[in-house]
Amino acid sequence: KQEVTQIPAALSVPEGENLVLNCSFTDSAIYNLQWFRQDPGKGLTSLLLIQSSQREQTSGRLNASLDKSSGRSTLYIAASQPGDSATYLCAVHMDSNYQLIWGAGTKLIIKP
Amino acid sequence: GAVVSQHPSRVICKSGTSVKIECRSLDFQATTMFWYRQFPKQSLMLMATSNEGSKATYEQGVEKDKFLINHASLTLSTLTVTSAHPEDSSFYICSARDRGDRGGIGYTFGSGTRLTVV
């Protein structure tokens, strides 16, 4: 059974710092992996999607990497801003169906 | 881009009443919709998967008679929480997969519904 773990559960850093959020999964037979952002009490915004054949994806100040063999993905946020404060979730899409399996998220606070 | 409209965003109801949550795909056809529930400080948990025109598939531990899902068209799915109790208070989010998706992102999420049962 696939399990997705995110570390740390919470992170507070000063504005301007570069930071890394971690996501690990137990079953490497994934179809793809996605990083999402969730603002308090709101829905989800998809940030980056990495197909199983890819190593990384970039969008603006965000860079997500994927190492299937070790069951890890990282989300790198460069030059963090207060507006980046949110909960970041990773989810994996297994091969056999469309279900996403979610991590519990990392709550990020960027202090001005 | 693809948009899923979810209503209501917040609802407070009395214990024992029923609440209906709607999700509409506004500019695409959603053959499959997913309903998730999220308790505070926990990850999203899939409740059920609904395919247009057929019965929903419920995850283990989710009562199908309590959480009624109807996916009557390619643009509308509803979740009805019947005889709601305080332990049903949660954040419910729907997600739709574009019929035309070819292995891309495919998922579009509603904005969520905060249900509080008093």
Side-chain angles (χ1 to χ4, degrees), chain A residues 17-37:
Chain A
E17 283 198 7
N18 302 325
L19 52 97
V20 175
L21 307 181
N22 297 292
C23 173
S24 61
F25 46 94
T26 56
D27 185 344
S28 63
I30 64 172
Y31 181 66
N32 61 37
L33 182 144
Q34 286 184 260
W35 283 92
F36 295 85
R37 170 183 172 140

Side-chain angles (χ1 to χ4, degrees), chain A residues 8 28 30 33 35-36 55 59-60 77 81 91-93 97 100 104:
Chain A
S28 63
I30 64 172
L33 182 144
W35 283 92
F36 295 85
R55 299 283 293 182
S59 176
I77 303 176
Q81 303 171 358
V92 298
H93 178 189
N97 56 54
L100 284 170

Side-chain angles (χ1 to χ4, degrees), chain A residues 31 34 36 38 41-44 49 51 93 98-100 102-104, chain B residues 34 36 38 43-44 46 59 91 93 97 103-105 107 109-111:
Chain A
Y31 181 66
Q34 286 184 260
F36 295 85
Q38 185 178 31
K42 296 187 179 180
L44 295 158
L49 166 73
Q51 300 290 352
H93 178 189
Y98 296 139
Q99 180 185 140
L100 284 170
W102 298 84
Chain B
F34 306 89
Y36 295 88
Q38 184 180 33
S43 64
L44 288 122
L46 180 67
E59 296 300 303
F91 191 58
I93 302 177
R97 185 177 176 92
I105 291 179
Y107 299 102
F109 289 84
S111 54

Side-chain angles (χ1 to χ4, degrees), chain B:
Chain B
V3 175
V4 170
S5 175
Q6 182 172 347
H7 294 281
S9 57
R10 292 179 181 270
V11 58
I12 300 173
C13 70
K14 291 185 178 180
S15 186
T17 62
S18 296
V19 174
K20 180 184 283 189
I21 302 170
E22 284 191 355
C23 271
R24 292 180 183 273
S25 56
L26 298 185
D27 49 8
F28 67 98
Q29 294 182 323
T31 52
T32 305
M33 281 204 181
F34 306 89
W35 288 94
Y36 295 88
R37 179 170 55 185
Q38 184 180 33
F39 292 108
K41 298 183 180 181
Q42 296 185 25
S43 64
L44 288 122
M45 296 297 295
L46 180 67
M47 299 175 64
T49 303
S50 73
N51 293 295
E52 184 265 338
S54 61
K55 290 184 178 181
T57 302
Y58 290 81
E59 296 300 303
Q60 190 173 8
V62 178
E63 300 174 57
K64 60 179 67 177
D65 293 331
K66 182 170 184 61
F67 299 99
L68 300 179
I69 291 174
N70 185 289
H71 192 161
S73 75
L74 287 171
T75 59
L76 175 64
S77 178
T78 60
L79 167 67
T80 302
V81 183
T82 63
S83 187
H85 291 285
E87 57 265 31
D88 298 324
S89 298
S90 185
F91 191 58
Y92 294 85
I93 302 177
C94 66
S95 169
R97 185 177 176 92
D98 190 338
R99 183 184 195 183
D101 178 65
R102 293 293 180 266
I105 291 179
Y107 299 102
T108 303
F109 289 84
S111 54
T113 297
R114 171 71 62 192
L115 171 63
T116 303
V117 185
V118 298

